[in-house]
Amino acid sequence: MRPGAGPGAGPAYGVRPGTGPGVWLPPAPPPDPLWITATAPTRPALPGFGVLGAGLASGLLAAVLLTDGLGVNVLLWALVGTVAAGLAASAAGRKVRPWTVVWTVTALVLLLVPALVEASWPVVLALLAAAGAGSLALHGGKRWPGVLLGAFGMWPHLIPGLAWGLLSLRNRQYPARARVVAVVKAAAVSLALLVVFGALFASADAAVAELLGDLVPSIDTENLPMQVLLFVVGLLVALAAAHTAAGPRRFDRFPVKPGRERGRLEWAVPLVALNLLFGVFVAVQAVVFVGGYESVMSKPGMIPADYARQGFWQLLIVTLLVLALLALAGRWAPRSTPRDRVMAKTLLALLCGQTLVVVASALYRMQRYVDNFGLTRLRISVATVEIWLGVVLLLVLVGGILASAKWLPRAVVLSAAAATAVFGLISPDAMIAEQNVHRFEQTGRIDVGYLRDLSADAVPALDRLPEDQRACALQKIARDLDDDRLPWYATSLAEARAREILKDRSVPLIGRDACSRAGVRLGDPYYGGDYDY
């Protein structure tokens, strides 16, 4: 007797109970994880002709407008995708909610950055933030899983969205469908025959080749591969947005286990000790502010540059660690009784308030450092991050004081998107040039070698420099603008303004003389290895 076949034995391996003796079935597949089943979207109905038309228009617009560069064309292309998503959401019965409008407007504002700013680094940040805000507009979300995962939730819909559109075309009945298909097939076969035999006749007779050359329109195929790629990308993104709008995954239902409450002693004692340490730091900073920064820096062994630079980075790390600590402490805080909740809120609010002093101290140190050594891309970037972290702390502080802080996840993510938009719209390269030129006017010190690597955003400020410094600083920018002649829709407002300035007061595209008189050694790695002759 084979194992497991005796009386009372369980079913043989691979045989499901109730299927009868001797019937073998493969083992049942394991169930999907809970987070997949809990957040599963509803299956959307097939898209209508409006959605398909908007998707096709998105692909065509991407192929025509996005080949040359980025400018207002990105916003125009995104508006077509927004129409596709709106039509799909309306067909699915989804209502427009206030936060949907907020995320949509935020994404469109972020897409204004390429139209106004020339520097690539704030433009890339704005495009990434716009993609996240647009995805949130399609998904919604209130809890932390909803707003964090929803910012990336559109991208898994790229392939399903295309299949969704193709299935709609295949299953849809429309007038004269058979006739249209027949015409398309006949046209394709005719084109293939004409190409093959026309090429043979053209190679056989020069007169025929000249005649066919005059009849066939000339087509510029230089950008054709890129245009085909952009068409596919534009179509995929628009259909993915529409597919997401019609049936988004519900990330708000993502299961998150509540944190286990800790006892008062093990939870409160570390926070009390940390608050005392922060209190000592705040007291020292108060002494520095009252006594004066210069008096502290005049003490032996104090180097102002090192004090400001190293102190800023350390305080930035402190701010990040405090935010992580607040998240963990909030999960482990005792909350069984009103007294526990009051104690938790008090300690966390005190830590938030003192960390805001840390943020202010870090920003003050950065300001002193910039006043002495000038503004750079790295310095303005990290200062912006520190300001945003201060805004997050304020939001957490207000959320901890209020009885309900359901708005906090969306407010934090919105503050990040808003900070990215403001950072791009203020044109950081223009601000860097403005600060350094102002510093030069006050002190006579300037690093022209660094300013040469800025974008066209910096031209209005650099145009105020004396002739040698101006010519050296604008030389690379003028050469780049002379090489690139882009259409209006791929040109930023900053580039157009820079062209007007350089048209009125031109600079030499090559040459070392002006830079030599300005004290810049071209070809030195310190200045980016710039070899101009």
Side-chain angles (χ1 to χ4, degrees):
M1 180 181 293
R2 59 184 175 84
Y13 175 78
V15 178
R16 298 181 192 169
T19 58
V23 179
W24 184 90
L25 290 176
D32 290 332
L34 179 59
W35 72 268
I36 292 182
T37 57
T39 63
T42 58
R43 186 175 181 178
L46 294 179
F49 282 117
V51 174
L52 296 176
L56 183 62
S58 172
L60 292 174
L61 204 62
V64 173
L65 297 184
L66 299 184
T67 305
D68 298 302
L70 301 181
V72 72
N73 49 8
V74 181
L75 180 60
L76 298 175
W77 170 67
L79 287 174
V80 177
T82 304
V83 171
L87 292 174
S90 177
R94 295 187 64 189
K95 297 180 180 179
V96 178
R97 301 184 183 277
W99 274 99
T100 303
V101 177
V102 169
W103 294 124
T104 303
V105 171
T106 301
L108 296 178
V109 170
L110 284 162
L111 292 178
L112 283 174
V113 175
L116 301 177
V117 177
E118 181 64 20
S120 59
W121 56 297
V123 167
V124 171
L125 290 176
L127 292 177
L128 293 175
S135 185
L136 278 172
L138 300 173
H139 283 86
K142 298 179 181 179
R143 299 170 58 233
W144 282 111
V147 296
L148 294 180
L149 297 176
F152 307 95
M154 189 187 79
W155 305 113
H157 290 259
L158 287 175
I159 302 303
L162 178 61
W164 182 58
L166 293 177
L167 185 62
S168 174
L169 288 176
R170 179 180 178 183
N171 294 346
R172 186 174 299 278
Q173 297 295 331
Y174 47 88
R177 173 178 175 176
R179 183 177 301 176
V180 170
V181 173
V183 170
V184 171
K185 290 181 179 179
V189 173
S190 301
L191 180 62
L193 292 175
L194 289 174
V195 169
V196 172
F197 286 96
L200 291 174
F201 285 137
S203 62
D205 191 287
V208 174
E210 183 179 358
L211 176 63
L212 292 178
D214 294 335
L215 293 177
V216 176
S218 60
I219 301 175
D220 184 12
T221 59
E222 181 181 358
N223 294 326
L224 186 60
M226 178 59 68
Q227 289 175 331
V228 171
L229 177 61
L230 289 174
F231 172 80
V232 173
V233 170
L235 178 64
L236 286 176
V237 171
L239 290 179
H243 189 260
T244 307
R249 185 170 286 276
R250 304 296 184 179
F251 289 112
D252 262 351
R253 300 172 185 169
F254 193 95
V256 178
K257 295 181 179 180
R260 184 172 66 87
E261 294 185 36
R262 306 291 177 174
R264 288 185 186 177
L265 186 64
E266 62 177 318
W267 182 88
V269 169
L271 278 183
V272 170
L274 189 61
N275 272 301
L276 291 175
L277 177 61
F278 271 66
V280 172
F281 178 83
V282 170
V284 172
Q285 297 308 298
V287 171
V288 171
F289 279 112
V290 172
Y293 185 84
E294 286 74 11
S295 62
V296 175
M297 290 298 98
S298 63
K299 295 181 179 180
M302 283 287 188
I303 302 176
D306 292 340
Y307 180 81
R309 181 176 62 250
Q310 295 176 3
F312 173 82
W313 287 107
Q314 292 162 356
L315 296 181
L316 178 63
I317 295 173
V318 166
T319 307
L320 291 170
L321 291 177
V322 167
L323 286 172
L325 181 62
L326 288 171
L328 295 175
R331 284 182 57 81
W332 295 336
R335 48 188 177 271
S336 301
T337 64
R339 184 177 179 182
D340 288 338
R341 291 190 289 272
V342 170
M343 179 191 68
K345 287 187 176 184
T346 301
L347 290 177
L348 294 178
L350 183 59
L351 183 60
C352 279
Q354 295 186 108
T355 308
L356 286 173
V357 179
V358 173
V359 172
S361 177
L363 292 174
Y364 180 72
R365 293 172 189 232
M366 177 57 71
Q367 179 191 349
R368 300 291 304 196
Y369 189 72
V370 167
D371 289 342
N372 287 319
F373 299 98
L375 190 61
T376 64
R377 288 175 170 175
L378 177 62
R379 292 164 195 167
I380 193 174
S381 300
V382 294
T384 303
V385 171
E386 185 71 23
I387 293 172
W388 173 66
L389 292 176
V391 172
V392 173
L393 284 168
L394 278 173
L395 293 173
V396 173
L397 181 60
V398 175
I401 294 174
L402 297 177
S404 175
K406 294 181 179 179
W407 50 268
L408 184 60
R410 288 180 290 190
V412 170
V413 175
L414 180 61
S415 70
T420 306
V422 172
F423 181 73
L425 293 175
I426 63 173
S427 185
D429 274 14
M431 182 173 289
I432 292 168
E434 182 66 37
Q435 192 276 340
N436 280 276
V437 170
H438 178 74
R439 176 171 166 266
F440 172 76
E441 293 170 347
Q442 299 295 322
T443 64
R445 294 178 296 171
I446 191 170
D447 186 354
V448 178
Y450 179 82
L451 299 179
R452 284 171 59 86
D453 291 326
L454 297 179
S455 65
D457 303 328
V459 170
L462 298 180
D463 188 56
R464 305 202 316 261
L465 291 171
E467 189 56 37
D468 288 337
Q469 285 84 355
R470 174 186 179 274
C472 184
L474 294 177
Q475 192 176 65
K476 288 182 65 177
I477 300 175
R479 188 169 63 243
D480 292 340
L481 294 179
D482 187 67
D483 293 338
D484 297 331
R485 295 291 180 180
L486 301 178
W488 66 269
Y489 51 79
T491 303
S492 66
L493 181 63
E495 179 180 337
R497 183 169 58 244
R499 288 185 184 277
E500 290 295 326
I501 293 174
L502 294 176
K503 181 180 179 180
D504 294 338
R505 296 181 61 200
S506 62
V507 297
L509 301 182
I510 57 175
R512 292 172 173 261
D513 295 342
C515 289
S516 298
R517 291 191 295 269
V520 178
R521 300 185 306 275
L522 297 181
D524 193 328
Y526 176 78
Y527 296 113
D530 184 13
Y531 292 90
D532 284 348
Y533 296 96

